Amino acid sequence: MSTAVTIAAVVAVAIVALLLYASTKPDTFHVERSVLIKATPEAIFPHINDLHQWDAWTPYNKDPAMTKTHSGSSAGVGARYAWAGDKRVGQGEISIRETEPPHKLVFDLHMIKPFEGRNVAGFTLVPQGEGRGTTTRVTWSLDDKHKLMHKTMSIFLNLDNMIGKDFAQGLAQLKTLMEISGKKE
């Protein structure tokens, strides 16, 4: 057997082993991050429910040349936001599918580039501590069904850290917006 054939056989076995290992990974993926904000859910919720207001706190405005399009409702169910940018932001769209003001918002996230994907993401706002309403725990979460490609990527990339870092940054920016600007109502 020639060296080239041996190398090809080893590579083929390695790929099969990698794919078999990847197939044992969970079929679902969940990431979430939370922050405490000194404001009521009623004060915070409009900044989440109106996609136009995301510009003030979203961590995904990394490309100054990114194109943004809003359509559908101005806020709440049916509001849509689409973007296209460089490799840092890719291309995709968000559509709000459910709201329970001022405590819950669920949206569909459709990533088109760099990888096709459809996820469900959302926010929950829960009053904390005494006075119930002066401080709110805001949680940003994302759920996904992993296909084999995503399972394979997760062997090499910590998707929870990658996405979670952005969520934590966005929540910190929302906290700053609410607490520094005095929008505590």
Side-chain angles (χ1 to χ4, degrees):
M1 191 182 304
S2 75
T3 304
V5 172
T6 302
I7 291 172
V10 168
V11 169
V13 168
I15 290 171
V16 168
L18 178 69
L19 293 174
L20 285 172
Y21 176 68
S23 70
T24 67
K25 298 283 227 170
D27 292 334
T28 59
F29 173 72
H30 177 83
V31 62
E32 72 177 43
R33 297 297 186 270
S34 296
V35 68
L36 286 174
I37 299 177
K38 293 178 184 171
T40 64
E42 292 80 7
I44 300 166
F45 194 76
H47 297 275
I48 297 169
N49 194 45
D50 181 347
L51 299 176
H52 296 89
Q53 294 198 39
W54 285 32
D55 271 348
W57 59 266
T58 183
Y60 296 111
N61 282 339
K62 299 173 185 175
D63 174 10
M66 177 171 59
T67 61
K68 304 171 187 178
T69 307
H70 293 272
S71 61
S73 304
S74 60
V77 175
R80 298 175 62 91
Y81 167 70
W83 72 92
D86 64 16
K87 65 181 180 180
R88 293 172 294 170
V89 296
Q91 180 181 357
E93 63 184 12
I94 292 170
S95 177
I96 297 178
R97 73 149 85 160
E98 177 185 347
T99 61
E100 294 176 18
H103 300 288
K104 180 180 177 183
L105 180 133
V106 178
F107 60 93
D108 294 314
L109 169 62
H110 176 204
M111 287 301 301
I112 299 166
K113 292 179 182 176
F115 300 105
E116 175 75 23
R118 294 187 181 270
N119 311 79
V120 176
F123 295 91
T124 57
L125 293 82
V126 179
Q128 301 290 299
E130 292 188 35
R132 308 241 351 133
T134 56
T135 301
T136 302
R137 177 173 299 283
V138 179
T139 302
W140 190 353
S141 65
L142 176 135
D143 291 288
D144 186 19
K145 292 183 179 174
H146 269 185
K147 296 178 181 157
L148 185 58
M149 179 185 76
H150 294 108
K151 292 179 182 186
T152 304
M153 285 175 42
S154 73
I155 294 170
F156 303 103
L157 301 171
N158 186 327
L159 297 176
D160 182 77
N161 281 347
M162 288 173 58
I163 296 167
K165 180 180 81 173
D166 287 342
F167 283 10
Q169 178 187 353
L171 290 169
Q173 291 170 185
L174 180 61
K175 177 182 176 81
T176 299
L177 173 71
M178 299 306 301
E179 293 181 359
I180 302 298
S181 68
K183 299 179 179 185
K184 301 175 186 184
E185 295 160 16

